[in-house]
Amino acid sequence: MSAAGQIPDSRFVFIVGVARTGSKIYMTVLNRLSEVDIVNELHYLAPRFIRRDFVTTVQRRPGTRLEASSPGALVNEMFSAPLNGTFWQPRSSGSLEQRITDLNRDTLVRRLSTGATKPARVMRVLLEEHARVAGKSRPADKFPVDISRVPTLLEWFPGASVIHLVRDPRAIYSSMIARDVRVCRGNWRQQAAARSGRLAYLVHQYRLAARVHRRNAANPAYYLSRFEDLIARPCESVPLLCDFLGIEVMADMYQPPGKDSSFRKDESTGFDVGAVDTWREYLDRPSRRLIETLLSREMAIFGYDTFTPRNPRNAIDGI
């Protein structure tokens, strides 16, 4: 860290991608066992039709426009306003996830007072301060921005390491609608509306993800990681991921707790290979074919076969 407290861009790590791509497992593997300090979901930048992001929310409030607000007012907003994203929420009992409450208000105000409170600098200060409090040297964030805003993120942090997560879009859609079924609780009209909305969202986001990959594939600071590869072949995937970040591989990285996964809530540890193709048991054929038709080009870019075998349990290697 420099005398001014600023960490070089090359030390930052960002995990980006479409929702439901296993980001929590990646965060668990890297966060507790390395020098990387991954903050959980700032939701810093996003289109308005996707979600309410930090920058837009703060800009709309009187007296806290980023470029014109006083550091004290801005920090008070961070700690007290109903902001969208796990990082801004009160810590639940027993949770180990990083929160804004880990940081010292006075320290934030002091650091923000030394320069302009532009969005890029505010984000930098938040991540740097959290890494400092955690005793780690590499600030990081899981899904800091919507996939459509990754170019802006790279403009703010040129040279940062970017881990782009992808997953079979059929599995993403299956995970999304399974969640909606629990929320809608048998209301078939709401479920039907949710399915249509989820499909439109998936197609839009997945196409953007393919665009991000095409633009950055040749960048040595960019790393594409498929969820299926990590889960089915961790002995290959974990060392490659660590090599990309220049960090040491540790044995515990192969035993992430199941309760820290959005897909498992049990007390077991390790990678659940069943999560790779569970979607094949639940996703109906029309939905499957529709996704394969709409996203055939993008699936090919990421190495996913649009043919669904009759015996899926024997098809992990032909994802």
Side-chain angles (χ1 to χ4, degrees):
M1 186 178 289
S2 68
Q6 182 166 303
I7 296 175
D9 290 341
S10 59
R11 300 293 292 168
F12 282 78
V13 179
F14 296 108
I15 298 176
V16 303
V18 179
R20 314 304 293 174
T21 48
S23 60
K24 203 166 188 179
I25 296 177
Y26 284 82
M27 184 175 74
T28 300
V29 168
L30 295 173
N31 210 24
R32 300 178 185 173
L33 305 165
S34 73
E35 63 190 276
V36 180
D37 177 50
I38 305 176
V39 167
N40 190 12
E41 297 182 355
L42 289 175
H43 289 328
Y44 204 76
L45 282 178
R48 293 182 182 181
F49 66 90
I50 295 293
R51 66 171 55 89
R52 180 170 50 87
D53 66 12
F54 171 80
V55 171
T56 301
T57 300
V58 171
Q59 296 285 47
R60 286 182 172 181
R61 296 183 184 276
T64 58
R65 292 187 62 84
L66 287 176
E67 290 84 352
S69 66
S70 71
L74 180 58
V75 171
N76 285 338
E77 189 79 3
M78 293 177 183
F79 278 83
S80 60
L83 299 171
N84 186 30
T86 305
F87 179 72
W88 311 105
Q89 308 306 315
R91 188 188 303 277
S92 57
S93 178
S95 173
L96 297 176
E97 291 181 338
Q98 292 77 1
R99 306 296 169 112
I100 183 68
T101 51
D102 296 336
L103 306 183
N104 181 276
R105 293 186 186 221
D106 294 337
T107 302
L108 286 177
V109 171
R110 184 170 61 254
R111 284 207 58 189
L112 291 173
S113 297
T114 62
T117 52
K118 293 183 177 181
R121 184 167 179 273
V122 172
M123 183 178 183
R124 175 185 292 276
V125 168
L126 283 170
L127 297 180
E128 287 179 346
E129 281 305 308
H130 201 285
R132 183 186 64 79
V133 169
K136 297 192 175 186
S137 61
R138 302 195 66 177
D141 191 9
K142 175 175 85 75
F143 288 6
V145 300
D146 180 77
I147 192 69
S148 64
R149 300 296 189 259
V150 169
T152 300
L153 182 69
L154 296 180
E155 288 177 8
W156 289 355
F157 297 88
S161 296
V162 175
I163 302 171
H164 183 185
L165 308 186
V166 293
R167 192 183 183 200
D168 191 312
R170 296 162 294 193
I172 295 175
Y173 182 68
S174 178
S175 178
M176 287 177 173
I177 61 177
R179 197 175 188 181
D180 291 334
V181 167
R182 294 194 298 270
V183 173
C184 296
R185 296 183 179 180
N187 188 318
W188 66 269
R189 286 191 176 88
Q190 289 184 6
Q191 289 184 23
R195 282 174 175 262
S196 298
R198 292 296 194 184
L199 180 61
Y201 169 84
L202 172 64
V203 171
H204 173 263
Q205 293 276 287
Y206 212 78
R207 287 174 176 171
L208 287 173
R211 189 181 305 171
V212 167
H213 177 61
R214 287 195 298 267
R215 290 178 176 177
N216 294 280
N219 182 354
Y222 170 87
Y223 183 80
L224 181 72
S225 183
R226 301 198 319 170
F227 170 81
E228 294 84 359
D229 294 335
L230 177 68
I231 300 302
R233 293 178 282 273
C235 290
E236 300 173 19
S237 299
V238 172
L240 288 173
L241 184 61
C242 291
D243 182 65
F244 168 71
L245 294 174
I247 62 176
E248 181 183 356
V249 179
M250 302 182 69
D252 287 348
M253 289 180 173
Y254 298 103
Q255 297 296 323
K259 65 181 179 181
D260 275 352
S261 167
S262 296
F263 306 97
R264 293 167 59 196
K265 299 298 182 183
D266 54 56
E267 297 296 326
S268 62
T269 61
F271 296 97
D272 179 15
V273 70
V276 170
D277 58 4
T278 301
W279 65 268
R280 302 175 193 265
E281 300 176 4
Y282 300 105
L283 193 62
D284 60 87
R285 186 179 181 86
S287 296
R288 202 163 60 226
R289 291 305 184 194
L290 181 58
I291 292 171
E292 292 170 352
T293 300
L294 294 173
L295 294 174
S296 59
R297 181 184 304 176
E298 290 75 19
M299 291 176 69
I301 289 173
F302 292 131
Y304 293 110
D305 196 338
T306 56
F307 171 69
T308 306
R310 291 182 179 274
N311 297 311
R313 286 298 178 185
N314 298 321
I316 290 177
D317 290 330
I319 294 167

